[in-house]
Amino acid sequence: MDSFLASPLGVLIITVLQSLALLVPLLLGVAYLTLAERKVMAAMQMRKGPNVVGPFGLLQPFADALKMLLKETIIPSGANRGLFVFGPMLTLILALIAWAVIPVNDGWAVADINVGVLYLLAISSLGVYGIIIAGWASNSKYAFLGALRSAAQMVSYEVSMGLVIVTVLLCVGSLNLNAIVLAQKTVWFFIPLFPMFIIFFISTLAETNRPPFDLAEGESELVAGFMVEYSSMTFALFFLGEYANMILMSAMTSILFLGGWLPPLDVAPLNWVPGPIWFILKICLCLFTFIWVRATFPRYRYDQLMRLGWKVFLPFSLIYLVLVAFVLKLAGWLPA
Amino acid sequence: MIAALAFYVFAAILIASAVMVVTSRNPVHSVLFLILAFFNAAALFLMAGAEFLALILVIVYVGAVAVLFLFIVMMLDIDFVQLRQGLQRYAPIGAVIGAILFLELLFVFGSWQFAPDVATLRLNAVPADPALSNTEALGRLVYTDYIFLFQIAGLILLVAMIGAIVLTLRDKPANSKRQDIAVQLARAEAVPLTKVPARTGLDKLGIVRRKLPEAPKPKKVAHEAHGHGHHDHEEGGHH
């Protein structure tokens, strides 16, 4: 048995099973995140939210998915057919493959690679292609404007996101996600690096094109931005991709700053709870904040968005990075 | 066996997409093929054990540089017919220049003196010490032996950046209007803030808008209730 598991075929089967064990709960999570968003926003706006399909509206995501499936896929006659279909696929694929390196418990990652953080940064920086390809291939003004906005926005916020990640890496001394979580055994990084935690969270909002940075969609001015020509399953793929990206960014936030699967205090009743539960709770906390922000803030104007990214976050995170490096060096806390 | 197969697959796709970058008619397709080429180069790096370089290649070139390429190329207004006519005219000159470059490269390569231990160095692309990760090994080299070269590379990029800024910097006309956020926020009276306790509407606070005259009632619209909160707020602002 052991020799079979070590053979190439065995390794392949194990990897596929591991991926399924990760992706099936993830996609269920995506489905219920859409419901949670509507319910939470409804509660914040003193409405009821979806409550008709199934008990408490719990079957609503499946009703929506079925509706999407049964609609006709319309490809505009002026569109570049191949790229038009490729854009949404790319968005969802990128949102899913990033999960390969996310550790849900000590060592529980499909691929526990040395450069996990870089992998995540690379994948999230590729996310812009789905949008820009979709916007261009639609051959429509609104879609194109949305794509251009989104491209500029995501490139801008990635810079400060990268600097925040470098600050965390300075405190850890490794690019491995598992090592990053284990380095937070004494104190979670959001306490010493609190300003960076805030910057990172806001950058994830911009990176996922969520309100108040959803200028790529901007329904009041661009109709629906880059997705204006999409219908049925092609639209559903964008939708799934956006929510999977939200969960991914929340997972990144909790790994980098909120101690991943670690309990808040390493004491008796808290450390009985298994690590994945803590991890999921932290992800849910971040996701709730995503929704809360959406229900609270009006959309940024485009020049304000750019100003925030380049003139506020970038200098601030650069200065804080240098500061952290100095403190670590002078106090002798630099990891070996 | 699998590794060799993967290498040939990646290398073949790399070369094919590099050819497509030059030959495809649509410049947007060219950039997309360029991205594919970057990806396959990254895969080759990975196979050589240089995981850090592979991911940096993806982050820097695919995630940032190629996005800007695509950004620019998509906004270009290109007449493809004109472009093809140009190809006919300039192809011979391009071929001559290419041939000269190729010959020069051949001369250089033919008279190149390799360092004596280069063959052994080439075999050890991956750090000899297995405990040392790829990233650490690279960091130890770049920040010690090659620190000056590394810093000079950074300075060159800085010069390029300053150059780009200087080229685009214009003096603002004297009458240009700029938003000064601090000044805006200082005008406290412009935006009255109202603390609304949870679970009460604006109605209960006495910030109610003036009652509209009853008489000329427009025909009832079902969603009259929607606009309510909005109006209250605006009217409240004027008092």
Side-chain angles (χ1 to χ4, degrees):
Chain A
M1 190 63 195
D2 280 352
S3 63
F4 171 71
L5 289 182
S7 70
L9 185 66
V11 171
L12 183 71
I13 290 175
I14 290 176
T15 314
V16 168
L17 288 180
Q18 280 176 334
S19 311
L20 281 180
L22 193 69
L23 290 183
V24 171
L26 174 69
L27 287 174
L28 265 182
V30 167
Y32 277 98
L33 177 59
T34 61
L35 181 69
E37 175 167 41
R38 292 167 72 179
K39 279 284 193 189
V40 171
M41 294 244 308
M44 287 177 180
Q45 296 162 353
M46 291 195 256
R47 294 184 284 115
K48 279 204 163 63
N51 61 352
V52 175
V53 189
F56 308 108
L58 280 177
L59 296 178
Q60 185 69 41
F62 300 101
D64 287 343
L66 269 180
K67 184 194 78 177
M68 290 285 191
L69 262 175
L70 295 177
K71 295 232 168 180
E72 182 189 356
T73 305
I74 298 169
I75 298 181
S77 55
N80 187 322
R81 289 182 75 93
L83 288 179
F84 185 81
V85 180
F86 181 63
M89 278 161 58
L90 186 69
T91 305
L92 184 63
I93 290 172
L94 288 175
L96 295 184
I97 59 171
W99 283 86
V101 295
I102 301 273
V104 287
N105 202 350
D106 198 356
W108 285 22
V110 176
D112 190 13
I113 60 176
N114 277 333
V115 284
V117 176
L118 283 183
Y119 176 82
L120 279 183
L121 198 64
I123 298 294
S124 71
S125 70
L126 295 183
V128 65
Y129 281 109
I131 293 172
I132 205 171
I133 286 175
W136 183 78
S138 300
N139 199 8
S140 143
K141 290 188 187 73
Y142 289 127
F144 187 56
L145 282 173
L148 288 184
R149 281 183 175 190
S150 165
Q153 169 183 339
M154 287 169 93
V155 170
S156 312
Y157 279 83
E158 236 145 55
V159 182
S160 51
M161 241 173 109
L163 286 175
V164 173
I165 289 178
V166 170
T167 317
V168 172
L169 295 181
L170 266 184
C171 303
V172 178
S174 168
L175 292 169
N176 183 298
L177 290 171
N178 217 32
I180 290 175
V181 174
L182 290 179
Q184 301 180 54
K185 273 231 153 111
T186 44
V187 58
W188 295 358
F189 283 147
F190 87 96
I191 296 171
L193 302 177
F194 188 72
M196 297 309 248
F197 171 59
I198 300 294
I199 289 186
F200 188 79
F201 183 74
I202 298 176
S203 300
T204 57
L205 286 179
E207 189 77 5
T208 46
N209 282 320
R210 288 285 299 174
F213 303 113
D214 59 340
L215 288 129
E217 292 164 38
E219 62 268 26
S220 54
E221 37 200 301
L222 290 185
V223 195
F226 61 93
M227 344 190 213
V228 72
E229 303 291 347
Y230 283 87
S231 58
S232 144
M233 269 327 273
T234 49
F235 171 75
L237 289 181
F238 267 129
F239 202 67
L240 286 175
E242 179 181 336
Y243 283 83
N245 255 328
M246 274 168 70
I247 303 184
L248 174 70
M249 287 295 167
S250 304
M252 250 175 108
T253 313
S254 46
I255 285 174
L256 290 176
F257 290 101
L258 300 176
W261 65 81
L262 297 173
L265 291 169
D266 201 8
V267 290
L270 290 180
N271 57 17
W272 292 344
V273 179
I277 304 280
W278 281 118
F279 190 51
I280 290 171
L281 280 178
K282 287 167 187 174
I283 291 179
C284 288
L285 180 76
C286 293
L287 287 174
F288 177 77
T289 324
F290 265 75
I291 298 168
W292 191 8
V293 166
R294 176 172 178 193
T296 310
F297 290 108
R299 184 178 295 132
Y300 260 58
R301 214 172 57 208
Y302 198 71
D303 61 315
Q304 292 172 332
L305 171 102
M306 281 297 163
R307 180 182 168 274
L308 184 70
W310 288 107
K311 293 193 181 170
V312 180
F313 281 2
L314 182 61
F316 185 83
S317 50
L318 198 58
I319 290 170
Y320 205 84
L321 168 65
V322 174
L323 196 76
V324 167
F326 263 106
V327 169
L328 288 177
K329 180 70 188 169
L330 293 180
W333 292 337
L334 267 182
Chain B
M1 162 39 199
I2 294 176
L5 196 69
F7 172 81
Y8 285 116
V9 169
F10 288 135
I13 297 177
L14 173 61
I15 293 173
S17 51
V19 170
M20 288 304 288
V21 172
V22 187
T23 55
S24 75
R25 292 181 191 179
N26 191 331
V28 172
H29 291 177
S30 287
V31 178
L32 292 176
F33 276 116
L34 184 66
I35 292 164
L36 187 61
F38 282 142
F39 259 112
N40 285 285
L44 290 182
F45 269 132
L46 263 188
M47 293 194 60
E51 54 205 17
F52 181 77
L53 282 181
L55 284 171
I56 287 294
L57 183 77
V58 172
I59 291 174
V60 174
Y61 282 92
V62 183
V65 175
V67 172
L68 294 180
F69 273 12
L70 205 59
F71 199 98
I72 303 300
V73 167
M74 280 180 175
M75 286 201 287
L76 292 179
D77 186 22
I78 297 172
D79 185 357
F80 294 113
V81 180
Q82 214 177 21
L83 209 67
R84 306 226 69 204
Q85 286 169 349
L87 185 72
Q88 296 278 330
R89 247 176 79 196
Y90 296 117
I93 306 172
V96 170
I97 293 177
I100 292 173
L101 272 177
F102 183 67
L103 276 179
E104 284 178 349
L105 278 177
L106 273 188
F107 286 139
V108 170
F109 194 72
S111 57
W112 194 276
Q113 296 284 329
F114 286 105
D117 50 349
V118 77
T120 51
L121 279 177
R122 264 179 64 201
L123 293 177
N124 295 328
V126 187
D129 182 3
L132 206 59
S133 84
N134 192 274
T135 319
E136 270 184 287
L138 199 66
R140 285 186 188 186
L141 271 184
V142 166
Y143 287 99
T144 53
D145 296 353
Y146 299 105
I147 180 71
F148 290 117
L149 294 176
F150 185 62
Q151 292 295 327
I152 287 171
L155 275 181
I156 292 172
L157 287 176
L158 182 69
V159 169
M161 193 176 86
I162 293 175
I165 293 174
V166 166
L167 280 178
T168 53
L169 194 67
R170 298 267 185 282
D171 281 331
K172 292 222 164 54
N175 59 351
S176 79
K177 287 184 175 142
R178 292 196 58 201
Q179 182 187 25
D180 192 335
I181 291 180
V183 168
Q184 277 187 342
L185 292 179
R187 295 184 309 198
E189 75 282 1
V191 189
L193 288 179
T194 311
K195 272 257 187 295
V196 180
R199 304 237 150 236
T200 61
L202 281 170
D203 305 346
K204 295 182 187 167
L205 292 176
I207 324 172
V208 194
R209 65 171 155 170
R210 275 164 286 133
K211 273 261 161 48
L212 291 172
E214 290 278 322
K217 210 163 197 179
K219 60 175 190 277
K220 271 237 183 234
V221 188
H223 53 77
E224 200 178 29
H226 277 307
H228 221 68
H230 241 71
H231 262 286
D232 279 350
H233 212 70
E234 272 171 23
E235 292 284 294
H238 289 298
H239 290 302

